[in-house]
Amino acid sequence: AAPLTFEKSPLSATDEKLTSLEDVTHYNNYYEFGVDKTAPAAHAHTLKTSPWTVKVDGLVAKPGEFAIDDLVKTSTLEERIYRMRCVEGWSMVIPWIGFPLADLIKRVEPQGSAKYVAFETVYRPPEMVGQQSAFPVLDWPYVEGLRLDEAMHPLAILAVGLYGEALPNQNGAPIRLVVPWKYGFKGIKSITRISFVEKQPETSWSRQAPDEYGFYANVNPNVDHPRWSQKTERRIGEGGLFVKRRPTLPFNGYADQVAQLYSGMDLRKFY
Amino acid sequence: MAGQATAQRGKHGFAMPRVPKILIYIVGFVPAVVLFYLGVNDQLGADPMRYLEQSLGLWALRFLIATLAITPLRQILNINLLRYRRAIGLLCFYYAALHLLTYVVLDQGFDFEAIWTDIVKRPYITIGMATFIVLTPLAVTSNNAAIRRLGGQVWARIHRLVYIAAIGAALHFLLVVKSWPPEPMVYAAIVASLLGYRFVRSLVKRSMPKRRAA
């Protein structure tokens, strides 16, 4: 992958040991390429990520189509080392390269009526083997969403790389969302469309199982998944077979920065 | 059906080449040995503990399915593998025990409070534990002495618990995954057809005049 020019960000979690590049790129959930963790690394090469444009529309003053190369050129790329907590109970520490989602949002000037941001993944069955199945695991295309103030938070980024180079396909090339205080599935991959809307948009996993996956999906050790506990997690690559569970932190350890976004909300109800 | 375990070999079905039963155990333990070897050498991927845990569970389910396939194979295809059924059934139990041990030791690190919470709060763990408990008396009585002591009929009745275990194992697998991926559904479908076959057969038999199954 092509090397990127970037600055180090003070918003990184620098005290954590990075998960190896091998594990970050070979243990993925990207159901468009199959449900096994190793399937994306095996099948994602079929996705054509260049040329690529992201359509930005909805309640904005300046809608438009952004070519990925222009987005990268006109943004100041930063390295953000973030913890990533999967809803399944494992976690990684990943050095992402990207830019604040807020930068893009400011460029397109949302109208006052815009309250939410909706995201959409590419839909290309010929290039994505998991989208070809007659019994789809999810309703394609994958969709996600954030409240506008969540999307404007400085920790929320659009990533275009990791480990100093352009994103590998299995990690969501060419551009993906990273919201480190939420479960990994909120980080929608291979984004083709970003829409500003008034009402809370639908999201793929809450459509699939509304009682298990909510719109917010904030990492929360005190609100279990209905079928498994969220109290602890296993850090990938830490101790091989004998990896010890570690406690999961509220908002994945980013509570100081983000908890105020949810003050007064019942996090059991808005899970 | 199950009571015929030791009797009538070769009476039904054509003569399969006989292999010593010890060979079933040796071959049956190959996956476990390979998994532990790869695990110790850190070659089980990014999440080796989970891989080991899931693979051992999957092998337990496969051996369970294999024991359930022996009767239909004999009745439909006239292939008699009855003499290997005990070994295959015990392999299922050993893999289930290794699967459980991996969960208790490597996954939960002997945190019995967390394990107890899992058992009472998580249906897939509840079902998994219950399935193991159901398998235990079957394993304990999988020897000639037990058959003699209990008598064929009682023994056969106990061993019908395998149907419950099969349902439990298939459910356990379905409940642990997100969405409805194909693999657990395929296993559930195989279990359903093996049990469905027996159910239909018993209905047909019951509707036929007298002649009870031996």
Side-chain angles (χ1 to χ4, degrees):
Chain A
L4 299 166
T5 315
F6 58 88
E7 299 170 358
K8 294 208 179 285
S9 166
L11 293 172
S12 286
T14 47
D15 52 333
E16 309 249 5
K17 190 175 169 289
L18 299 184
T19 304
S20 73
L21 177 64
E22 170 73 15
D23 286 349
V24 169
T25 54
H26 290 81
Y27 193 78
N28 308 100
N29 276 325
Y30 196 165
Y31 283 8
E32 282 84 342
F33 297 112
V35 295
D36 289 337
K37 298 282 186 290
T38 49
H43 302 304
H45 62 90
T46 51
L47 179 66
K48 246 188 95 197
T49 58
S50 178
W52 191 279
T53 54
V54 180
K55 185 178 176 184
V56 182
D57 60 6
L59 306 169
V60 287
K62 294 179 175 169
E65 303 239 357
F66 294 83
I68 189 75
D69 298 336
D70 294 338
L71 266 180
V72 170
K73 247 178 269 163
T74 56
S75 306
T76 309
L77 297 185
E78 300 171 31
E79 181 182 67
R80 298 279 185 103
I81 299 168
Y82 283 161
R83 291 176 290 274
M84 205 277 293
R85 168 64 155 82
C86 178
V87 73
E88 295 166 348
W90 51 268
S91 62
M92 293 183 177
V93 180
I94 305 172
W96 300 107
I97 313 288
F99 57 88
L101 174 57
D103 288 1
L104 178 65
I105 295 176
K106 285 175 203 152
R107 276 162 78 166
V108 299
E109 295 172 17
Q111 297 166 12
S113 52
K115 295 283 184 287
Y116 293 90
V117 189
F119 301 85
E120 200 173 298
T121 297
V122 68
Y123 179 66
R124 271 187 221 161
E127 296 176 26
M128 301 175 102
V129 69
Q131 288 181 340
Q132 294 166 12
S133 167
F135 304 97
V137 233
L138 288 168
D139 220 355
W140 313 120
Y142 196 88
V143 287
E144 257 305 338
L146 294 171
R147 231 168 47 193
L148 186 58
D149 59 336
E150 294 179 313
M152 290 293 291
H153 193 280
L155 285 177
I157 61 166
L158 288 171
V160 295
L162 56 81
Y163 268 102
E165 297 189 350
L167 276 182
N169 280 10
Q170 62 266 37
N171 293 87
I175 187 164
R176 65 166 292 165
L177 180 66
V178 178
V179 198
W181 69 92
K182 293 175 180 284
Y183 291 118
F185 69 84
K186 291 295 283 186
I188 184 169
K189 302 185 179 87
S190 308
I191 299 168
T192 52
R193 187 176 170 198
I194 301 176
S195 302
F196 291 77
V197 294
E198 199 178 339
K199 294 212 169 68
Q200 181 176 307
E202 281 204 307
T203 62
S204 284
W205 276 104
S206 63
R207 203 192 266 161
Q208 164 73 25
D211 53 331
E212 299 189 351
Y213 312 97
F215 174 79
Y216 286 95
N218 291 317
V219 175
N220 191 340
N222 303 315
V223 177
D224 286 344
H225 183 280
R227 289 183 284 136
W228 55 80
S229 168
Q230 296 292 23
K231 282 194 173 52
T232 57
E233 64 200 52
R234 281 169 304 106
R235 185 61 59 79
I236 297 297
E238 190 187 64
L241 209 48
F242 305 98
V243 52
K244 270 218 160 50
R245 287 180 174 272
R246 45 165 77 213
T248 290
L249 302 172
F251 299 106
N252 201 21
Y254 299 96
D256 286 350
Q257 293 103 306
V258 303
Q260 91 283 350
L261 290 170
Y262 312 99
S263 57
M265 280 174 73
D266 179 354
L267 296 177
R268 258 172 210 291
K269 201 171 153 214
F270 299 98
Y271 53 94
Chain B
M1 261 182 289
Q4 301 163 339
T6 49
Q8 52 166 298
R9 46 178 67 138
K11 201 166 163 192
H12 288 277
F14 59 85
M16 294 292 291
R18 277 186 162 222
V19 295
K21 284 175 201 151
I22 187 74
L23 208 65
I24 304 285
Y25 289 106
I26 291 170
V27 174
F29 274 117
V30 166
V33 171
V34 170
L35 282 167
F36 280 110
Y37 175 81
L38 293 177
V40 168
N41 288 290
D42 202 10
Q43 292 180 321
L44 290 182
D47 200 355
M49 192 286 303
R50 185 47 47 89
Y51 189 84
L52 177 71
E53 190 178 50
Q54 290 177 346
S55 305
L56 290 169
L58 200 51
W59 278 105
L61 179 55
R62 286 172 185 154
F63 284 118
L64 187 55
I65 284 171
T67 62
L68 289 177
I70 285 177
T71 292
L73 273 179
R74 189 170 52 95
Q75 290 168 343
I76 301 170
L77 297 176
N78 223 13
I79 296 173
N80 193 344
L81 298 172
L82 219 47
R83 78 183 226 100
Y84 308 114
R85 184 162 66 185
R86 177 185 292 169
I88 297 170
L90 281 169
L91 279 167
C92 160
F93 178 76
Y94 297 142
Y95 273 90
L98 289 172
H99 172 63
L100 175 60
L101 211 61
T102 308
Y103 165 76
V104 171
V105 180
L106 296 181
D107 193 347
Q108 298 294 339
F110 294 109
D111 184 345
F112 288 106
E113 203 188 308
I115 292 168
W116 181 247
T117 313
D118 267 357
I119 294 173
V120 292
K121 273 184 83 172
R122 325 261 165 245
Y124 83 96
I125 302 267
T126 319
I127 292 170
M129 289 288 181
T131 303
F132 185 75
I133 290 168
V134 166
L135 284 173
T136 306
L138 307 195
V140 170
T141 59
S142 282
N143 51 70
N144 293 345
I147 298 174
R148 263 195 312 274
R149 212 173 330 118
L150 295 165
Q153 280 207 336
V154 174
W155 186 91
R157 205 171 302 147
I158 293 172
H159 279 245
R160 260 174 234 142
L161 284 172
V162 73
Y163 307 141
I164 306 287
I167 294 169
L171 266 180
H172 176 62
F173 193 9
L174 275 174
L175 283 175
V176 75
V177 294
K178 292 191 301 185
S179 184
W180 300 95
E183 202 185 9
M185 295 221 281
V186 168
Y187 279 96
I190 294 171
V191 167
S193 40
L194 288 168
L195 299 187
Y197 162 80
R198 286 166 167 82
F199 181 66
V200 170
R201 198 164 191 274
S202 75
L203 284 186
V204 172
K205 280 222 160 156
R206 202 166 301 163
S207 66
M208 292 211 293
K210 281 238 166 147
R211 265 202 79 220
R212 298 189 42 167

